[in-house]
Amino acid sequence: NCQLSARPKGTLLQSGATKRTVNCQLKKVVLVDCGVKANIIRCLLRRGVEVVRVPWDYDFNELEFDGLFLAIGPGDPERCDVAVQHIRKFLNNEQVRPCRGICLGNQLLARAAGAKTYKLKYGHRSHNQPVQQVGTTKCFITSQNHGYAVDDNSLPEDWEPLFVNMNDGSNEGIRHKTNPWFSAQFQR
């Protein structure tokens, strides 16, 4: 079993937050914390991974890890350029490692890949947003609370939409065509 523990006092990150880590024997995942919910961390721990939680503006690229998780959070993705630059550096690394983003993490991954985001007219703020997986008939009823979306038309050639909102046709997720990088605008 993996356990949550704090690094010794004095181990500070760029934003002044204390680095928190989870110790176990399996894969190590860096979690970029943009406002993560505790249940997301619990879900990762149940899957037997070591979680290294870092603030949104921390350059995690110098750490040794097996995968990257871009967590949820509030706000305008255009105001998170520091995080986007760190994610872009990760995507351009010769060592290809998995990356998963949710909610704001979806928008940050898209921006790091070179896509644009925009403010939705009304936002998606409910517990019953229908989302379809692109290329399938699978539809999910999702819970959402966000005001920005990824512009599908700005996705680079090696990226594609993964999910679409059935109410307004906006992007709900992206994936890279060959590398293990994907994200969703919602939580299931």
Side-chain angles (χ1 to χ4, degrees):
N1 267 348
C2 300
Q3 300 295 320
L4 182 63
S5 62
R7 287 277 190 173
K9 288 183 181 176
T11 306
L12 298 179
L13 303 179
Q14 290 170 340
S15 68
T18 301
K19 185 174 180 180
R20 297 187 53 88
T21 184
V22 174
N23 300 307
C24 64
Q25 302 297 319
L26 299 175
K27 301 288 183 182
K28 185 184 294 187
V29 173
V30 168
L31 183 146
V32 178
D33 186 352
C34 300
V36 69
K37 295 179 180 180
N39 192 48
I40 292 170
I41 296 172
R42 284 192 296 269
C43 287
L44 288 169
L45 293 176
R46 278 196 298 266
R47 285 163 176 77
V49 297
E50 179 179 349
V51 176
V52 179
R53 182 179 181 183
V54 298
W56 70 275
D57 59 349
Y58 183 72
D59 186 359
F60 52 83
N61 288 289
E62 303 306 318
L63 302 175
E64 293 204 19
F65 59 96
D66 301 298
L68 182 62
F69 190 92
L70 307 172
I72 67 173
D76 182 349
E78 287 188 27
R79 299 189 65 177
C80 300
D81 194 53
V82 173
V84 168
Q85 295 304 322
H86 296 315
I87 298 163
R88 185 171 293 136
K89 184 176 175 182
F90 169 84
L91 297 177
N92 290 327
N93 192 312
E94 286 182 16
Q95 180 186 7
V96 175
R97 295 168 284 187
C99 178
R100 165 79 162 106
I102 56 171
C103 300
L104 180 62
N106 175 59
Q107 298 158 21
L108 297 179
L109 181 61
R111 291 185 65 78
K116 295 178 181 172
T117 55
Y118 65 95
K119 186 164 180 55
L120 293 163
K121 184 172 182 178
Y122 299 109
H124 297 159
R125 309 197 189 281
S126 68
H127 297 283
N128 59 353
Q129 290 287 324
V131 172
Q132 183 177 7
Q133 186 173 354
V134 174
T136 74
T137 57
K138 293 180 184 177
C139 188
F140 306 97
I141 303 302
T142 66
S143 175
Q144 299 186 24
N145 185 20
H146 63 95
Y148 295 86
V150 174
D151 179 359
D152 277 349
N153 296 322
S154 69
L155 284 170
E157 202 173 286
D158 50 350
W159 289 83
E160 62 188 0
L162 180 57
F163 297 105
V164 62
N165 187 290
M166 298 304 290
N167 286 335
D168 64 10
S170 64
N171 180 281
E172 291 284 348
I174 61 172
R175 69 177 163 197
H176 193 271
K177 291 180 180 177
T178 58
N179 291 329
W181 306 330
F182 69 101
S183 58
Q185 190 58 57
F186 57 89
Q187 301 173 61
R188 277 190 7 164

